[in-house]
Amino acid sequence: MSSWDIAITIGAVVLGTMATRFTPFLIFSKTSKPPAIITYLGAVLPAAVMGLLVVYSLKDVTLWTYPHGLPELLAILALVVIHLVKRNMLLSIATGTIVYMLLIQQVFIK
Amino acid sequence: MKSDECNNGREKIKETESVKENVQDNVNNSVKNNVKNNVKNNGKGWEAFRYAFPLTVPICASFLFLGISYGLYAVGQGLPWYLPFLMSATIFAGSMEFVTVALLAAPFDPLGAFVLAFMVNGRHIFYGLTMLTRYGPLDWKKYPLIYGMCDETFAINATINLPSQIDKGWFYLHVTWLNYLYWVGGVALGAVGSHFLTFDMKGIEFILTALFAVIFLDMLLTAKKYQSGLIGLAVALSMLYVLGPNLFILPAMLVMVLIFCGLFWWDSKDRRESEL
């Protein structure tokens, strides 16, 4: 590819990405108050999408082959327990991540 | 001893002076009000920053790591160091940046690149719908906020429950630019320093899962969003089961929105009937 082709390709990717981010705001910017259904979606979607993102970040875990998702499961269990006890987000994230790293580096070695 | 007494005396004098200053302050209050308002605005930004920064620390760790990986990968694919840096700063959508490296090696097809980017990042449309009421009313800040709305920034800004004294717009903006900086900085580090980095951080990518899981758990526990949270989880799992890891996310979001629209319609129908 020439430099121009590279620049145009990256530009097209930027446009495609930004279209997904700006479209809702462009559609609803003219009405000063968004319809009630949008306000409702704004209230319920964050928790639902967060559930989706948890699944999304685990989508490539294979349950049928070794280690059967065990490191992920154990790390999340550790995270949930420490979060129920301490209610400290950073501590819970650090615990979950360190448990996971120890498990895949020391215990479930492929 | 004597010098101590002297110091004490001096401090007393200082104290009385500061009392005087306070009195003067009170007298001049009306004059200083304008200045104070300005300081207050700056203070709002600073206070919001101090609230925002700790929440972005886990994202800093994960973005530096992922960004470095991306920089290493892109340079490894034969691109000059400034291209991954440029792409991370303009596209600012992690998975699509990985795909773009492959696009640059393929035959020239800008329309295909546009459509692919739109599909890969389609989930942002739903983030936008969610953030309409939060970002929409803001001043100039909404443009950088919408531009920089990646998964992780959305995760924080959509779920945060801010105390009333924290300025929302500034908080959102601080989270957004900090995360942007971590990502672009990580990519630059990886691209430039690809020869120097050799450490075993295997498994650090789990920090993203941990981040999402903790936010999700916290929403269930504190915001009592059981219904919507569990609907999201159930829909995501079933769509993953049916469609597989590469296709499920957009359909899952569509199904979710349809379910919530149905619930909204049902609720308002009930209300209409009870009003009659």
Side-chain angles (χ1 to χ4, degrees):
Chain A
M1 277 197 190
S2 73
S3 309
W4 274 113
D5 290 357
I6 290 174
I8 291 169
T9 304
I10 294 177
V13 172
V14 172
L15 278 182
T17 303
M18 288 313 148
T20 64
R21 288 183 187 162
F22 278 90
T23 303
F25 294 90
L26 294 178
I27 292 173
F28 290 103
S29 74
K30 294 203 174 68
T31 54
S32 56
K33 209 178 168 194
I37 179 79
I38 295 298
T39 316
Y40 172 75
L41 287 178
V44 293
L45 276 181
V49 174
M50 212 46 58
L52 174 69
L53 281 177
V54 173
V55 176
Y56 179 64
S57 70
L58 291 169
K59 68 183 162 68
D60 295 315
V61 174
T62 51
L63 294 177
W64 321 121
T65 55
Y66 183 81
H68 308 287
L70 272 177
E72 287 81 6
L73 183 71
L74 293 173
I76 288 179
L77 273 181
L79 175 151
V80 169
V81 169
I82 197 91
H83 195 70
L84 287 176
V85 177
K86 294 281 186 182
R87 293 291 177 97
N88 177 332
M89 285 188 136
L90 294 184
L91 179 70
S92 311
I93 291 169
T95 306
T97 308
I98 291 166
V99 166
Y100 182 78
M101 288 174 77
L102 286 175
L103 284 175
I104 64 162
Q105 287 182 17
Q106 310 291 334
V107 184
F108 298 97
I109 303 161
K110 277 187 188 175
Chain B
M1 282 301 280
K2 257 196 175 176
S3 65
D4 270 354
E5 277 168 26
C6 272
N7 278 340
N8 281 344
R10 264 182 218 150
E11 269 170 26
K12 269 181 190 162
I13 291 170
K14 267 185 198 165
E15 268 172 33
T16 49
E17 270 174 3
S18 70
V19 169
K20 267 186 202 165
E21 274 171 16
N22 276 343
V23 173
Q24 254 180 343
D25 264 358
N26 284 338
V27 172
N28 289 343
N29 243 356
S30 56
V31 183
K32 284 191 175 170
N33 255 352
N34 284 330
V35 183
K36 262 191 181 168
N37 273 342
N38 282 338
V39 172
K40 211 177 166 188
N41 278 339
N42 288 335
K44 265 185 182 174
W46 176 237
E47 210 176 349
F49 178 81
R50 285 198 302 190
Y51 208 81
F53 177 68
L55 291 170
T56 67
V57 168
I59 297 171
C60 178
S62 95
F63 270 17
L64 283 180
F65 179 74
L66 283 173
I68 288 171
S69 319
Y70 173 67
L72 292 173
Y73 164 76
V75 172
Q77 296 296 104
L79 294 182
W81 67 270
Y82 56 85
L83 271 185
F85 172 70
L86 193 74
M87 286 192 277
S88 69
T90 53
I91 303 169
F92 193 58
S95 49
M96 193 58 216
E97 287 165 34
F98 277 92
V99 176
T100 310
V101 172
L103 290 179
L104 291 179
F108 182 57
D109 177 16
L111 186 65
F114 175 85
V115 173
L116 190 63
F118 192 86
M119 297 302 289
V120 169
N121 293 311
R123 63 187 186 283
H124 294 145
I125 294 174
F126 298 92
Y127 297 174
L129 286 178
T130 310
M131 299 308 278
L132 267 177
T133 49
R134 293 177 180 79
Y135 286 178
L138 296 174
D139 48 3
W140 57 270
K141 292 189 201 77
K142 72 176 165 192
Y143 302 105
L145 288 177
I146 299 168
Y147 190 94
M149 192 170 52
C150 61
D151 297 317
E152 293 74 10
T153 299
F154 167 80
I156 291 184
N157 285 350
T159 56
I160 190 72
N161 216 342
L162 283 175
S164 55
Q165 79 269 18
I166 307 277
D167 184 88
K168 291 192 171 66
W170 278 111
F171 174 86
Y172 296 151
L173 191 66
H174 287 313
V175 171
T176 304
W177 77 258
L178 281 167
N179 288 347
Y180 184 87
L181 187 75
Y182 302 149
W183 175 250
V184 178
V187 172
L189 269 179
V192 176
S194 44
H195 305 291
F196 310 106
L197 293 152
T198 47
F199 44 81
D200 188 15
M201 295 292 277
K202 197 176 160 205
I204 188 81
E205 70 277 3
F206 192 76
I207 203 167
L208 272 189
T209 309
L211 173 77
F212 294 145
V214 153
I215 293 178
F216 181 66
L217 182 64
D218 211 62
M219 288 195 90
L220 293 187
L221 293 172
T222 58
K224 308 269 181 240
K225 305 261 187 192
Y226 298 112
Q227 193 198 37
S228 52
L230 293 179
I231 287 177
L233 197 63
V235 170
L237 283 173
S238 40
M239 294 310 264
L240 174 64
Y241 182 72
V242 175
L243 295 171
N246 298 321
L247 292 172
F248 83 104
I249 191 151
L250 268 185
M253 286 195 146
L254 273 175
V255 170
M256 232 179 254
V257 168
L258 285 177
I259 290 177
F260 286 126
C261 286
L263 284 173
F264 180 78
W265 176 79
W266 193 255
D267 274 3
S268 52
K269 199 185 92 179
D270 275 3
R271 232 175 291 139
R272 261 179 275 138
E273 278 169 1
S274 65
E275 275 167 12
L276 278 174

